[in-house]
Amino acid sequence: MVIPVDDAADPRIADYVRLRDSELRKSLEAERGLFIAEGEKVIRRAVATGHRLRSVLTTAKWLDRLADVIGDVPTYLVSDEVMRGIAGFQVHRGALAAVERPELPSVAGLLTGPGSGEGPPGRILILEDLVDHGNVGAIFRCAAALGVDAIILSPRCADPLYRRAVKVSMGAVFAIPYARMDDWYHGLGEVRAAGFRLLALTPDQSAVPLHEAELGERVALLLGSEGDGLSARWLDLADERVCIPMSPAAMARGVDSLNVVAAAAIACHGLMRGR
Amino acid sequence: MVIPVDDAADPRIADYVRLRDSELRKSLEAERGLFIAEGEKVIRRAVATGHRLRSVLTTAKWLDRLADVIGDVPTYLVSDEVMRGIAGFQVHRGALAAVERPELPSVAGLLTGPGSGEGPPGRILILEDLVDHGNVGAIFRCAAALGVDAIILSPRCADPLYRRAVKVSMGAVFAIPYARMDDWYHGLGEVRAAGFRLLALTPDQSAVPLHEAELGERVALLLGSEGDGLSARWLDLADERVCIPMSPAAMARGVDSLNVVAAAAIACHGLMRGR
């Protein structure tokens, strides 16, 4: 069902309002139970992983190309100019979709349910207070590609379904199950009780190199933000602190850290050892 | 020497003109033999690694803080507003410096000269046609932090001293020696002649997993862009094709690749095995 719209302020396309305003979008998307998928590839992946489209916003150029995925979803057709006015940025590959936000499992449900592989999760990431949507999206992409089974977010972590996270993840946020902790202070207890060994990733070079750490049947890698790293509490609660060995020569020259996505990529790869 | 400037068009600050215009900057910086460092940390790292500042552009708020590093370098003092007008973006940590562009070694010089560690380079990256400055900067940061000895760029690779690359690298572009090939077609021959084993990183999962590849005394990892990967020629010229093992379950869900920085991080880490 194609509906031409010629005004960015048309109330029928209010789901797409002010896409760059992350504060406004946070409350709007929660309230309406939706998220935004950007670009043909991401929209297709959302549909392929069982998400329901509420509507699509696109331009004439993209309409034919999206025909099979749109089906009978209300599709608002706008000019390039109106598209720019709505989005406030150059829309990646000409289409946006408002998608039904799925209900997340509880942490307990996530740990006993199916992971992204076969059987319940054995290799998981737990992200503490990563507030940058791009970093969260990039970490989901690494984790999914390398075979991590599931991800748990601390209460303050950025939303993986925020437009930028979805886009940076290339849709990997749909491919890996995740849950959000209710309680930062006690949240790790539940994971340990489920039989997970907790490894805290730290830049501290006196920690055990990740590739030498004992992994066991179920292991959770705790990952903090680039600037502050993990909280003292989470470092204390971990069974072991692990590090990625850095070059002493580089450290002497002041290159003393990796960005959080690079560290996460190496850590996810290391976590897959022996599987 | 502090020189107040109240007009963005003042010819004395022409080295800082149109910083977001990468085409203009490319010719301007080559012609004048300079590059731009952004932010206190990066400026300090440039100075600490022996680079000569031609001038600094900053605001009153940052002047005291930078006093020791500025010394007697001409320092143009502008208002916040003029700073925004010149830079066309929010300047990260209030200061820019125009820095003397050092002369690069030849590839032969790089391979026989000192690496970033002790002795001549034994572990190097060769980047083919990575045109995104952010990716080049991020890869330099990973490579330097993890102990890669040197980097060779194909003729079309983005300039590591372009402002965005320098910034994303957190100044790591100053910490790792690099050179640029004159000739893409024959360039790898010189590297092999210097005794390097050439490993081509490919997403092709039938290649040897990187962590199982034979490394030897001198090894060069060839890395292509995210979309196109390495050219057929470079793939053919390599001694071995290596891959980062991906999750079959994820590939079945359409998550079939890592971003180039994540892949580079894992590859650099893998390259350091047994050192």
Side-chain angles (χ1 to χ4, degrees):
Chain A
M1 185 175 41
V2 177
I3 306 152
V5 168
D6 52 17
D7 180 358
D10 190 309
R12 290 174 297 179
I13 56 172
D15 280 351
Y16 299 92
V17 76
R18 281 160 63 190
L19 287 172
R20 295 189 80 158
D21 181 341
S22 69
E23 283 312 308
L24 172 97
R25 295 296 310 181
K26 216 185 281 183
S27 52
L28 179 147
E29 294 184 9
E31 197 178 291
R32 302 191 181 182
L34 62 82
F35 69 92
I36 299 293
E38 178 183 357
E40 183 190 357
K41 189 169 177 183
V42 169
I43 294 172
R44 286 189 183 280
R45 198 159 292 171
V47 171
T49 48
H51 293 78
R52 207 178 74 78
L53 305 186
R54 285 197 193 165
S55 69
V56 171
L57 182 76
T58 190
T59 56
K61 189 175 139 200
W62 287 88
L63 201 54
D64 279 353
R65 182 132 176 192
L66 290 164
D68 64 306
V69 69
I70 288 173
D72 57 0
V73 171
T75 299
Y76 301 106
L77 188 65
V78 296
S79 65
D80 287 339
E81 197 192 331
V82 170
M83 180 62 110
R84 273 193 301 275
I86 290 162
F89 55 87
Q90 190 65 39
V91 172
H92 185 64
R93 315 214 77 189
L96 296 166
V99 190
E100 201 85 32
R101 192 173 270 267
E103 204 173 319
L104 289 188
S106 66
V107 169
L110 183 79
L111 297 179
T112 51
S116 58
E118 282 168 33
R123 296 285 182 272
I124 69 172
L125 292 187
I126 309 185
L127 308 184
E128 188 185 37
D129 297 2
L130 296 186
V131 297
D132 182 278
H133 290 103
N135 285 343
V136 167
I139 291 171
F140 267 69
R141 183 175 172 195
C142 287
L146 294 169
V148 169
D149 297 314
I151 297 180
I152 298 175
L153 308 175
S154 74
R156 284 200 293 224
C157 264
D159 177 11
L161 294 182
Y162 184 66
R163 185 183 54 83
R164 183 164 153 70
V166 174
K167 181 181 165 191
V168 170
S169 85
M170 306 277 283
V173 290
F174 311 139
I176 184 164
Y178 69 94
R180 191 181 285 277
M181 287 179 177
D182 297 322
D183 177 353
W184 165 79
Y185 196 80
H186 294 103
L188 291 180
E190 194 173 5
V191 183
R192 176 179 280 126
F196 281 85
R197 187 169 157 74
L198 306 179
L199 302 183
L201 187 67
T202 163
D204 178 355
Q205 296 290 302
S206 67
V208 180
L210 176 59
H211 58 272
E212 294 172 12
E214 190 197 318
L215 297 180
E217 196 69 20
R218 302 195 101 179
V219 59
L221 187 93
L222 318 185
L223 200 65
S225 68
E226 188 168 332
D228 302 329
L230 288 165
S231 64
R233 176 161 174 87
W234 279 29
L235 279 171
D236 280 348
L237 286 175
D239 294 298
E240 193 159 36
R241 299 178 187 202
V242 296
C243 72
I244 295 167
M246 307 278 286
S247 153
M251 293 184 78
R253 279 193 191 81
V255 180
D256 55 0
S257 66
L258 288 165
N259 84 44
V260 66
V261 177
I266 294 168
C268 291
H269 181 257
L271 218 51
M272 293 303 116
R273 202 159 24 101
R275 286 201 107 191
Chain B
M1 184 175 39
V2 177
I3 306 153
V5 168
D6 51 19
D7 180 358
D10 190 311
R12 289 173 298 179
I13 56 174
D15 280 350
Y16 300 92
V17 75
R18 282 161 60 192
L19 287 173
R20 296 189 80 160
D21 180 341
S22 68
E23 283 312 308
L24 173 97
R25 294 298 308 181
K26 216 185 282 182
S27 53
L28 180 147
E29 293 183 9
E31 196 178 291
R32 301 190 181 183
L34 60 83
F35 69 91
I36 299 292
E38 178 182 357
E40 183 190 356
K41 191 170 174 182
V42 169
I43 294 172
R44 285 189 185 281
R45 198 159 292 170
V47 172
T49 47
H51 293 78
R52 206 179 74 78
L53 304 186
R54 286 197 193 165
S55 69
V56 170
L57 182 77
T58 190
T59 57
K61 191 175 138 200
W62 287 89
L63 200 54
D64 279 354
R65 181 130 176 196
L66 289 165
D68 63 308
V69 68
I70 288 173
D72 56 3
V73 172
T75 299
Y76 302 105
L77 188 65
V78 296
S79 65
D80 286 340
E81 197 193 330
V82 169
M83 181 63 110
R84 273 193 301 274
I86 291 163
F89 55 90
Q90 190 64 41
V91 172
H92 185 66
R93 315 213 78 187
L96 296 166
V99 190
E100 201 85 33
R101 191 173 270 266
E103 202 173 322
L104 290 188
S106 65
V107 169
L110 184 79
L111 296 180
T112 51
S116 58
E118 283 168 32
R123 294 288 182 269
I124 69 173
L125 292 187
I126 309 185
L127 308 184
E128 188 185 38
D129 297 1
L130 296 185
V131 295
D132 182 278
H133 290 102
N135 286 343
V136 167
I139 291 171
F140 267 71
R141 183 174 172 195
C142 287
L146 294 168
V148 169
D149 297 313
I151 297 180
I152 298 174
L153 308 175
S154 74
R156 284 202 294 225
C157 263
D159 176 11
L161 295 181
Y162 184 67
R163 184 184 55 82
R164 184 163 154 71
V166 174
K167 181 181 167 191
V168 170
S169 85
M170 306 277 283
V173 290
F174 311 139
I176 184 164
Y178 70 94
R180 190 181 286 275
M181 286 179 179
D182 296 322
D183 177 354
W184 165 80
Y185 195 80
H186 295 104
L188 291 180
E190 194 172 7
V191 183
R192 175 180 280 127
F196 281 84
R197 189 169 156 73
L198 307 179
L199 301 183
L201 187 67
T202 163
D204 178 354
Q205 296 289 301
S206 67
V208 180
L210 176 59
H211 59 272
E212 294 171 12
E214 190 197 318
L215 297 181
E217 196 70 18
R218 303 193 100 179
V219 58
L221 188 92
L222 319 185
L223 199 66
S225 69
E226 189 169 333
D228 301 328
L230 288 166
S231 63
R233 175 160 173 89
W234 280 30
L235 280 171
D236 280 347
L237 286 175
D239 294 297
E240 192 157 36
R241 298 177 187 202
V242 296
C243 72
I244 296 167
M246 308 278 286
S247 154
M251 293 183 79
R253 279 193 191 81
V255 180
D256 56 0
S257 66
L258 289 164
N259 83 44
V260 66
V261 177
I266 294 169
C268 291
H269 182 257
L271 218 50
M272 293 302 117
R273 202 157 25 99
R275 286 202 107 190

